[in-house]
Amino acid sequence: PEIDAEWMDIMVHIADGAPGRACMAAETGSIELYAETLKTLTMSSCDKVMIERLAGQWGAAGIRNRDRRHMAMLLFERLIGLAASQGSGCDRPSSSLALEQSAVAHILARHSADQLAEWHQEFLRDWRRGESLNLAMAPLILRLLMSLSQG
């Protein structure tokens, strides 16, 4: 797709340098949705209506939304992994994206690295299970976003 050079840089960065993943993010609208999700996670109080809307968009059912759900898994795995690693003092590089750094800081102010590591494992386990059984993913994403946004 036709993409602004600055957005392409952000997409490639978030996609960990994988151009195909960056294109998938652009085609599915995942970058804008991720930015909106990060902004929501930086809010001082939990906006349940916004979180429900975001979870519904990330976890929308059907074959047409499969790529967006895949991007949700990748981006949430990235976000929780960054927060857990930073919180535990690991040498894993932090994000160079300001919005992502801000969201990680807000998440770390609310939760311990141990709790985040546990949620990371649960999220990936539940995601694989849900995908293998063709379950709705919106409830899984809703549970994760509610957990991350509440202190």
Side-chain angles (χ1 to χ4, degrees), residues 77-150:
E77 177 186 17
R78 172 188 168 84
L79 180 64
I80 302 167
L82 282 170
S85 294
Q86 257 186 262
S88 67
C90 282
D91 289 336
R92 181 177 175 181
S94 63
S95 173
S96 64
L97 301 172
L99 187 54
E100 202 171 43
Q101 287 174 349
S102 180
V104 166
H106 278 80
I107 291 168
L108 286 171
R110 296 179 186 123
H111 308 291
S112 70
D114 289 339
Q115 180 65 69
L116 293 167
E118 185 177 317
W119 286 341
H120 185 260
Q121 289 178 344
E122 288 173 7
F123 176 72
L124 293 177
R125 181 196 63 223
D126 293 348
W127 190 273
R128 284 190 287 276
R129 180 177 170 269
E131 283 288 306
S132 70
L133 297 174
N134 200 27
L135 298 176
M137 297 313 244
L140 172 63
I141 295 170
L142 177 62
R143 187 175 70 229
L144 175 68
L145 290 177
M146 290 298 289
S147 296
L148 291 174
S149 66
Q150 294 176 341

Side-chain angles (χ1 to χ4, degrees), residues 14 16 38 42 49 59 61 74 84 87 98 107 114 116 143 146:
I14 287 177
D16 293 324
L38 293 174
T42 62
V49 173
L74 294 173
I107 291 168
D114 289 339
L116 293 167
R143 187 175 70 229
M146 290 298 289

Side-chain angles (χ1 to χ4, degrees), residues 10-90:
I10 292 169
M11 285 185 278
V12 169
H13 183 82
I14 287 177
D16 293 324
R21 194 179 295 169
C23 287
M24 182 187 292
E27 291 168 355
T28 61
S30 296
I31 295 302
E32 293 85 356
L33 194 53
Y34 187 57
E36 193 174 349
T37 302
L38 293 174
K39 287 177 190 172
T40 300
L41 291 173
T42 62
M43 297 171 84
S44 58
S45 63
C46 176
D47 183 343
K48 293 179 182 179
V49 173
M50 175 67 83
I51 289 174
E52 286 177 5
R53 187 180 65 74
L54 289 169
Q57 289 180 314
W58 278 118
I63 193 77
R64 292 179 50 211
N65 297 305
R66 182 181 58 206
D67 288 344
R68 180 179 281 180
R69 289 192 308 272
H70 180 71
M71 289 305 304
M73 187 271 301
L74 294 173
L75 293 172
F76 289 128
E77 177 186 17
R78 172 188 168 84
L79 180 64
I80 302 167
L82 282 170
S85 294
Q86 257 186 262
S88 67
C90 282

